[in-house]
Amino acid sequence: MVLLDGKIAAASVKEELKHITEALLEAGKPLPHLVAILIGNNGASETYVASKVKNCEETGFRSTLIRFEEDTAEETVLNKIAELNNDEDVDGILVQLPLPQHISEQKIIESIDPSKDVDGFHPSNVGKLVQGLPTFVPATPYGVLLLLAHFNIVTNGKHAVVIGRSNIVGRPMSILLSSNIPQGNCTVTICHSHTTNLTEICLQADIIVAALGKPAFVTPNMVKDGAVVIDVGITRVTDATAKKGFRIKGDVDFESVAPKCSAITPVPGGVGLMTIAGLLKNTLQAYTNNRG
Ligand code: GUN
């Protein structure tokens, strides 16, 4: 069984990016600049954004974190995004999700200039993804592709089952795995909360991508011998014995499923780390497209 270690794969991507930023610096060029917007005090979002900023620093990217209070008006955020869209010194803009109830996620996503939409959530970028055109691949599915590539996992002709149909992970993941790209060319089944015969479908999978956000949902009876299992879940589960009072749990019951797999991702230490690698690659892409 191969452990698909996100630490190793992410370090390799970050090393590659660091060489690029060092060369830019030497050439006297500006460095890629990511702006992250965080609204409110969601604990998980705070952690993710802090990690994005830290990884920017480690790879020589510039980053700016803009924070708004939970009760900030939607218009205030839209005005800030308009300002960033017009700022030539900003390459990538991301607004950390989820948003407070009173702010429309769709309005915010659509307000970001598609050429700076490093999350790849804007409908015009999603449309390009579906059509197989160059665009920003949403960071988490991008991270999964980078992980598969790093460990030379063959996807061509395989049956991939994606559990979860979110706009952030499941849906784009299913499109990418079925696309004619190096980590694609799968036959893809996308499962969700209304799927009636989930176990039966999963048992046919050569590759399972679990992205539904339910801890330990995937159990050994759902997994074929030799399957590749990618766990996108990162749920905080209360645990009084843990330092922070919670533990991060994946969507796969790792201990019992791992012995059946040819390869599996750990949680934490798997896809989560790759997500940031995907985001940084998109930011560099935005920089190259807009001022490279
Ligand atoms: N919340 C959870 N995942 C993501 C992501 O990839 N991008 C943004 N902006 N918010 C998220």
Side-chain angles (χ1 to χ4, degrees):
M1 188 271 291
V2 176
L3 187 71
L4 302 172
D5 190 331
K7 248 183 258 159
I8 296 172
S12 148
V13 174
K14 281 164 65 180
E15 198 56 33
E16 172 198 316
L17 293 172
K18 210 169 163 197
H19 284 135
I20 295 170
T21 56
E22 279 165 3
L24 289 172
L25 201 60
E26 251 175 55
K29 299 227 171 108
L31 293 165
H33 183 195
L34 174 71
V35 176
I37 298 179
L38 176 59
I39 308 163
N41 301 93
N42 178 303
S45 292
E46 298 248 6
T47 308
Y48 300 147
V49 169
S51 184
K52 288 170 184 178
V53 168
K54 178 168 164 269
N55 277 271
C56 278
E57 273 168 28
E58 286 169 1
T59 42
F61 285 54
R62 288 180 293 153
S63 67
T64 303
L65 171 58
I66 298 173
R67 299 197 62 142
F68 288 111
E69 297 293 335
E70 180 84 19
D71 61 357
T72 302
E74 183 181 85
E75 200 190 347
T76 307
V77 183
L78 290 170
N79 287 340
K80 177 52 77 177
I81 293 171
E83 191 187 301
L84 297 168
N85 283 341
N86 290 321
D87 185 340
E88 285 180 6
D89 195 40
V90 172
D91 299 296
I93 304 168
L94 79 82
V95 181
Q96 189 65 29
L97 305 177
L99 299 174
Q101 285 277 321
H102 66 283
I103 299 181
S104 157
E105 190 173 296
Q106 199 59 26
K107 255 196 201 168
I108 295 293
I109 287 171
E110 291 189 22
S111 73
I112 297 172
D113 183 329
S115 75
K116 298 189 179 190
D117 168 38
V118 286
D119 265 327
F121 294 164
H122 192 287
S124 92
N125 285 328
V126 178
K128 286 181 182 174
L129 187 85
V130 172
Q131 294 191 339
L133 299 170
T135 184
F136 299 113
V137 175
T140 302
Y142 195 3
V144 171
L145 297 186
L146 293 167
L147 191 66
L148 293 171
H150 183 89
F151 288 97
N152 297 312
I153 303 289
V154 175
T155 56
N156 205 33
K158 298 289 168 71
H159 182 199
V161 171
V162 178
I163 314 173
R165 57 179 164 182
S166 71
N167 286 339
I168 295 181
V169 187
R171 181 85 57 198
M173 190 79 256
S174 68
I175 291 160
L176 289 157
L177 287 169
S178 70
S179 297
N180 187 5
I181 55 174
Q183 275 68 49
N185 290 318
C186 291
T187 303
V188 177
T189 305
I190 181 159
C191 298
H192 45 75
S193 51
H194 291 252
T195 300
T196 51
N197 51 345
L198 184 70
T199 299
E200 206 175 283
I201 293 169
C202 286
L203 278 170
Q204 294 169 31
D206 302 305
I207 300 167
I208 294 177
V209 180
L212 70 159
K214 287 201 175 151
F217 181 85
V218 176
T219 45
N221 62 311
M222 300 166 79
V223 180
K224 179 168 86 171
D225 277 331
V228 173
V229 174
I230 308 293
D231 189 349
V232 184
I234 34 163
T235 306
R236 288 180 169 199
V237 176
T238 308
D239 182 345
T241 68
K243 234 199 242 162
K244 293 180 179 165
F246 64 85
R247 273 186 206 291
I248 300 295
K249 286 274 180 200
D251 289 348
V252 177
D253 187 31
F254 184 90
E255 294 301 326
S256 61
V257 169
K260 297 194 85 173
C261 300
S262 61
I264 185 168
T265 57
V267 175
V271 173
L273 301 172
M274 297 309 295
T275 295
I276 296 181
L279 174 69
L280 293 174
K281 279 181 82 84
N282 278 343
T283 304
L284 179 64
Q285 190 61 55
Y287 172 91
T288 310
N289 292 348
N290 292 338
R291 56 175 163 178

